Amino acid sequence: MTTTLDDRLAIQDLLYRYARAADDKDTAAYRACFSSNGVAVNWADFEVNDGATIIDSLSQYQWTMHKVFNHAFEVEGDRARGYTYCLATHVADEQGQRRKEDWHVRYDDELLRENGQWRFLRREVQVGLIEKVDLPD
């Protein structure tokens, strides 16, 4: 199992596109990160065809920033398995008080190369810690 530089860069691009779609609250871009039968699990146990569920859940925040790092994947043909760490910052206004939440996330991923592009076949989300801080006005 050898992962080429081209595969590494293409997979990294997928991870960044996913984070950007979440931050932009862009349902179409979010869905485009998944294969036609791809699923995300342990978030709300939904299928990606209902990807609006995740994007809608982000609408409660004034803004988000998903910072993706520490990822590793093994490629075998047109499939890959690996993990990705993410620190997702969310800012919300709760009854006039701004609050920041930092979510420490690990994604366990199965990828499929379709038409030359890597997409998520299965994305399992594990939130390890959520830190909440009230922000000054």
Side-chain angles (χ1 to χ4, degrees), residues 101-115:
E101 299 178 6
D102 284 330
W103 295 32
H104 300 259
V105 177
R106 176 186 166 126
Y107 298 101
D108 289 308
D109 297 319
E110 293 178 38
L111 308 179
L112 179 65
R113 185 180 359 228
E114 292 180 324
N115 301 319

Side-chain angles (χ1 to χ4, degrees), residues 25-96:
K25 299 174 183 70
D26 185 337
T27 303
Y30 179 87
R31 287 181 181 155
C33 292
F34 287 82
S35 69
S36 58
N37 58 343
V39 295
V41 296
N42 286 351
W43 181 263
D45 288 332
F46 68 93
E47 291 194 14
V48 76
N49 291 335
D50 186 26
T53 302
I54 281 286
I55 300 304
D56 286 348
S57 74
L58 294 173
S59 66
Q60 66 184 300
Y61 299 106
Q62 292 173 327
W63 66 266
T64 64
M65 181 181 289
H66 291 71
K67 298 164 285 291
V68 178
F69 52 95
N70 291 26
H71 55 274
F73 287 84
E74 291 292 328
V75 174
E76 191 169 326
D78 286 335
R79 294 193 177 247
R81 285 181 178 263
Y83 69 89
T84 306
Y85 291 158
C86 174
L87 178 60
T89 298
H90 306 80
V91 175
D93 185 350
E94 295 179 7
Q95 300 171 346

